[in-house]
Amino acid sequence: MPNSPFYAKAMRGKTRLVGHWLQLGDASPDRLAMILADTARLAKLGEPDETPDGATLEAWSRDSMPPLWAARAVVFLLVQMPTRPVPHDDCEACAWAYCWLRNRHFERLDEAWQALPEHLQSRLWPALEMAWNDQKELRLI
């Protein structure tokens, strides 16, 4: 699994996703951490052992690898924001695509692409295609 260039980019991008959430979230880091953990639980995106604090969230956005539930919850929340955020770079785009496919079940690649909000479709297409191929090769487990 770690040998895939896509997978390596997606894992690096998880940190950038959390940073994006901190940048766009309209609350304190402690509150944003609570929202993230509660979202993961309610949307069944993972089960955090405990609710992180703001300092943990900030560490995840810099250099500490965030757990998958956090990245999945960030994507869940970002795609619903009225400001229509998009990934800042290729690594973040790979993380968005990775989490998009983990958050929902799709039968076909075009179905996953069409389910994206329109403003993300062209921006995420290359990463989504790579994520789909990784998933089909059973790397996205």
Side-chain angles (χ1 to χ4, degrees), residues 41-60:
R41 290 181 187 108
L42 292 171
K44 298 186 182 347
L45 303 172
E47 278 297 321
D49 294 332
E50 56 187 44
T51 299
D53 59 17
T56 300
L57 196 62
E58 288 174 338
W60 288 346

Side-chain angles (χ1 to χ4, degrees), residues 110-131:
D110 67 318
E111 183 183 311
W113 179 76
Q114 289 172 0
L116 282 167
E118 190 174 319
H119 72 280
L120 289 170
Q121 289 179 344
S122 64
R123 179 63 177 98
L124 285 184
W125 173 251
L128 190 63
E129 190 173 29
M130 287 186 290

Side-chain angles (χ1 to χ4, degrees), residues 1-110:
M1 192 169 8
N3 295 342
S4 164
F6 167 80
Y7 182 81
K9 281 184 174 182
M11 293 304 100
R12 282 193 310 274
K14 288 191 320 180
T15 298
R16 293 176 176 129
L17 272 174
V18 173
H20 207 152
W21 172 240
L22 279 167
Q23 176 190 8
L24 294 177
D26 190 20
S28 70
D30 284 332
R31 178 93 170 112
L32 292 173
M34 183 185 71
I35 291 168
L36 208 56
D38 288 348
T39 297
R41 290 181 187 108
L42 292 171
K44 298 186 182 347
L45 303 172
E47 278 297 321
D49 294 332
E50 56 187 44
T51 299
D53 59 17
T56 300
L57 196 62
E58 288 174 338
W60 288 346
S61 76
R62 287 189 306 272
D63 55 9
S64 178
M65 186 64 69
L68 183 56
W69 67 260
R72 290 178 67 190
V74 168
V75 168
F76 181 87
L77 293 165
L78 289 179
V79 299
Q80 297 179 62
M81 291 184 95
T83 57
R84 299 169 38 145
V86 297
H88 289 123
D89 59 31
D90 288 338
C91 287
E92 189 179 340
C94 288
W96 281 60
Y98 179 89
C99 292
W100 182 253
L101 293 181
R102 295 289 304 250
N103 285 356
R104 299 174 62 180
H105 174 73
F106 300 102
E107 295 293 328
R108 298 179 325 276
L109 174 58
D110 67 318

